[in-house]
Amino acid sequence: MKLLVPVKRVVDYNVKVRVRPDGTGVETANVKMSMNPFDEIAVEEAVRLKEKGVATEVVAVSIGPSQAQEQIRTALAMGADRGILVEAEGVVEPIAVAKILKAIVAKEGPQLVIMGKQAIDDDMNATGQMLAALLGWGQGTFANKVEIADGAANVTREVDGGVETVRLVLPAVVTTDLRLNEPRYASLPNIMKARKKPIETVKPADLGVDTTPRLKVIKVEEPPKRQAGVKVGSAAELVSKLRTEAKVI
Amino acid sequence: MTVLVLADHDGAAINQPTRSAVAAAGKLGEVHLLVIGPEAVAASGAKLGGVAKVLHAPAEHLLAEPAAALIQSLAGNYTHLLAPGSALGKNVMPRVAALLDVQPISDISGVVDADTFVRPIYAGNALATVQSSDAVKVITVRAASFDPVAAEGGSAAVEAAQAAADPGVSTFVGAELVKSERPELTAARIVVSGGRAMGSAENFHLLEGIADKLGAAVGASRAAVDAGYAPNDQQVGQTGKIVAPELYIAFGISGAIQHLAGMKDSKVIVAVNKDEEAPIFQVADYGLVGDIFKIIPEIEAELNK
């Protein structure tokens, strides 16, 4: 079966982001960008399913500026077979992304879409659920284990009190949690080979999707700063300060 | 304006994040609570402060697909659909939003007006104020940002909700829940957390002595969870639980952005770490530099005094 893996280009997770002085957003010019960490886990899972012989082809798709090609190349170097870049400027909200992915699913016919549970920039945690809804498919969100057998996916999900397992009729959408796997590093020969793998480019309009945002950003600001604290010299001093000064114990 | 809140529960009673979501909903209009689960949970929902009506749909397990179909069928009566930003709310509400063709607003930390909300982005390093142009607002609520409504005192009427058709694409197989005698992490007044420096699962139990004395919940950094020292439902951070207790004590946690996103709204933060350059000290009200294995028993002894 064919797998579709959406990947997002985001500010690298190690970067300490800065809010723009004019309050319109965070600074993204000249900032290191990478593949969203949860999406790396999704690519890894898809490639493992291919290595196990469960999947026959892995298609990586990214929606964003032309530079998002770099993230597709990373997915190809990890083992994806080919890429699709949906070129779009500005913010593309999860609802528009879900609609674009639905159109791509209609064209490609994957049996499983594996994607990250959330992007570390907008922290929405919504696109996978929305795609599943638009397709009328089952969803296995926050997955830490995925088993495919007999036309179904058994997905173990991380929930608040522990884990739970759901069985989804295929086709389905799975979103990855951190503990699903440890993504591989792309080797140099694979990075070279990935350069030759095909990437098709389309526009949202070609797919009939309007990407106008539904949420207007009024302002973006720094969170309130915490007051600088004090260093204490001993456990006794710490407990006494918590008792008498902070009065929290 | 009438607001529907999807209740999260443990099979017996409404949980604390739901009470925070009801508090957020109260800023918007009359609050109706949707309980999908046993009768007893609906009864517990009827007692919440600020709830005008409870809609009850019996179900054994709360799966996203039938739950979203049910909420979609009720949506016509409401201007806002809310849920706590728990694993349940995050699973169900975006699905509801797509069925209604609206962009959901995840994890709000503030309500400005009926269309405008504040939400943290970039692991809490920026706060965005966003205005929705959608007809129905679909929202999840950051529990730590709203004081929960009272669990007792209300007397709302309970009505049966007309069940929508189950799409039949998913079935519940089983669950393994972690049993704990301690307070729930997101509701605890005090949280004691450990990081990678705890060194092993056995050592991680050392935190329990302090937690028991303080009536605290035990949390963990991602590093501690990944190393297998603590179960994943104890993870505090951008991708785990968001907590804002009165006192947060971090033992052997360096203070990566990802972890700070989950606890930096705590009232008082204490950090104990042997590395005095650890970023956690930049947000800590009280810092103690030293070996956690020496300091943990010392603190425990002090608490006995």
Side-chain angles (χ1 to χ4, degrees), chain A:
Chain A
M1 66 169 145
K2 194 191 276 190
L3 305 183
L4 190 72
V5 188
V7 299
K8 186 176 187 183
R9 175 181 173 87
V10 297
V11 172
D12 188 89
Y13 72 98
N14 280 315
V15 172
K16 174 103 178 81
V17 297
R18 282 206 313 273
V19 173
R20 284 195 209 115
D22 64 0
T24 55
V26 305
E27 199 54 72
T28 51
N30 302 316
V31 169
K32 186 182 178 212
M33 306 293 279
S34 311
M35 188 193 295
N36 180 44
F38 291 100
D39 303 349
E40 288 185 355
I41 295 170
V43 174
E44 175 66 33
E45 194 66 17
V47 172
R48 288 186 191 188
L49 286 170
K50 195 183 163 195
E51 288 166 348
K52 277 190 220 159
V54 176
T56 48
E57 190 185 25
V58 176
V59 181
V61 52
S62 192
I63 298 150
S66 56
Q67 296 95 312
Q69 262 200 51
E70 294 165 21
Q71 280 61 49
I72 296 177
R73 289 282 171 216
T74 305
L76 298 177
M78 287 173 74
D81 296 289
R82 61 189 171 87
I84 302 171
L85 172 65
V86 183
E87 226 174 14
E89 287 305 322
V91 173
V92 187
E93 291 174 341
I95 182 142
V97 172
K99 287 178 178 179
I100 290 169
L101 292 174
K102 182 190 178 194
I104 291 175
V105 164
K107 228 167 69 176
E108 295 283 341
Q111 284 291 291
L112 192 63
V113 179
I114 308 182
M115 54 202 292
K117 80 164 175 182
Q118 79 188 62
I120 60 165
D121 52 2
D122 65 17
D123 284 335
M124 279 283 189
N125 194 331
T127 309
Q129 296 88 312
M130 298 184 83
L131 175 62
L134 295 179
L135 293 165
W137 293 3
Q139 64 188 51
T141 51
F142 329 143
N144 74 15
K145 197 163 128 201
V146 179
E147 287 170 336
I148 311 285
D150 310 326
N154 274 323
V155 179
T156 303
R157 312 176 51 236
E158 294 195 1
V159 294
D160 288 335
V163 295
E164 70 172 36
T165 305
V166 292
R167 183 176 170 83
L168 308 172
V169 178
L170 292 178
V173 176
V174 168
T175 74
T176 62
D177 215 320
L178 287 167
R179 277 161 286 277
L180 180 59
N181 61 46
E182 185 89 27
R184 70 192 65 189
Y185 288 102
S187 67
L188 190 59
N190 284 343
I191 292 170
M192 302 306 285
K193 267 186 240 162
R195 289 190 186 170
K196 296 206 177 70
K197 292 182 180 175
I199 298 179
E200 176 195 349
T201 303
V202 293
K203 302 262 186 206
D206 303 337
L207 303 166
V209 178
D210 177 7
T211 59
T212 311
R214 308 284 187 88
L215 299 180
K216 182 177 160 197
V217 178
I218 309 283
K219 65 177 174 194
V220 174
E221 58 199 334
E222 298 252 0
K225 287 248 185 307
R226 289 191 73 96
Q227 295 272 330
V230 295
K231 290 257 171 75
V232 295
S234 69
E237 191 187 344
L238 175 64
V239 171
S240 126
K241 277 202 178 334
L242 290 177
R243 276 193 179 128
T244 56
E245 200 176 275
K247 296 191 173 66
V248 284
I249 58 173

Side-chain angles (χ1 to χ4, degrees), chain A residues 10-11 13-17 19 25-28 38 41 93-96 98-99 117-142 144 154 157-171 177-179 182 213-224 226-243 245-249, chain B residues 8 15 62-65 85-88 90-92 94-99 101-107 116 118-134 167-179 184 189-190 214 222 225-226 232-233 235 238-241 246-247 249 257-258 263-270 272 276 281-289 295 298-299 302-305:
Chain A
V10 297
V11 172
Y13 72 98
N14 280 315
V15 172
K16 174 103 178 81
V17 297
V19 173
V26 305
E27 199 54 72
T28 51
F38 291 100
I41 295 170
E93 291 174 341
I95 182 142
K99 287 178 178 179
K117 80 164 175 182
Q118 79 188 62
I120 60 165
D121 52 2
D122 65 17
D123 284 335
M124 279 283 189
N125 194 331
T127 309
Q129 296 88 312
M130 298 184 83
L131 175 62
L134 295 179
L135 293 165
W137 293 3
Q139 64 188 51
T141 51
F142 329 143
N144 74 15
N154 274 323
R157 312 176 51 236
E158 294 195 1
V159 294
D160 288 335
V163 295
E164 70 172 36
T165 305
V166 292
R167 183 176 170 83
L168 308 172
V169 178
L170 292 178
D177 215 320
L178 287 167
R179 277 161 286 277
E182 185 89 27
R214 308 284 187 88
L215 299 180
K216 182 177 160 197
V217 178
I218 309 283
K219 65 177 174 194
V220 174
E221 58 199 334
E222 298 252 0
R226 289 191 73 96
Q227 295 272 330
V230 295
K231 290 257 171 75
V232 295
S234 69
E237 191 187 344
L238 175 64
V239 171
S240 126
K241 277 202 178 334
L242 290 177
R243 276 193 179 128
E245 200 176 275
K247 296 191 173 66
V248 284
I249 58 173
Chain B
D8 194 351
N15 64 13
L62 213 167
L63 285 164
E65 296 82 356
S86 57
L88 171 81
K90 288 173 178 170
N91 191 32
V92 175
R95 188 168 179 107
V96 171
L99 295 174
D101 191 22
V102 308
Q103 168 59 40
I105 310 164
S106 304
D107 222 18
T116 315
V118 181
R119 57 181 303 270
I121 53 175
Y122 288 91
N125 286 296
L127 293 175
T129 304
V130 295
Q131 187 175 43
S132 168
S133 59
D134 284 317
V169 290
S170 59
T171 43
F172 181 85
V173 178
E176 274 177 60
L177 300 181
V178 178
K179 286 196 180 67
E184 198 196 336
R189 206 179 65 82
I190 300 177
L214 295 173
R222 183 193 162 189
V225 173
D226 281 352
N232 63 42
D233 63 306
Q235 186 182 322
Q238 182 187 20
T239 57
K241 301 236 168 81
E246 285 185 39
L247 174 61
I249 313 182
I257 293 173
Q258 199 275 347
M263 46 64 82
K264 69 187 165 71
D265 293 327
S266 306
K267 190 164 155 245
V268 175
I269 297 174
V270 172
V272 181
E276 61 180 316
F281 286 121
Q282 290 164 22
V283 300
D285 299 281
Y286 300 102
L288 179 52
V289 178
I295 291 168
E298 282 175 8
I299 291 180
E302 284 296 324
L303 290 173
N304 283 330
K305 283 185 190 166

Side-chain angles (χ1 to χ4, degrees), chain B residues 198-221:
Chain B
M198 295 305 296
S200 70
E202 292 74 53
N203 288 345
F204 208 86
H205 292 299
L206 294 175
L207 297 178
E208 289 168 7
I210 294 176
D212 286 342
K213 293 219 164 48
L214 295 173
V218 175
S221 70

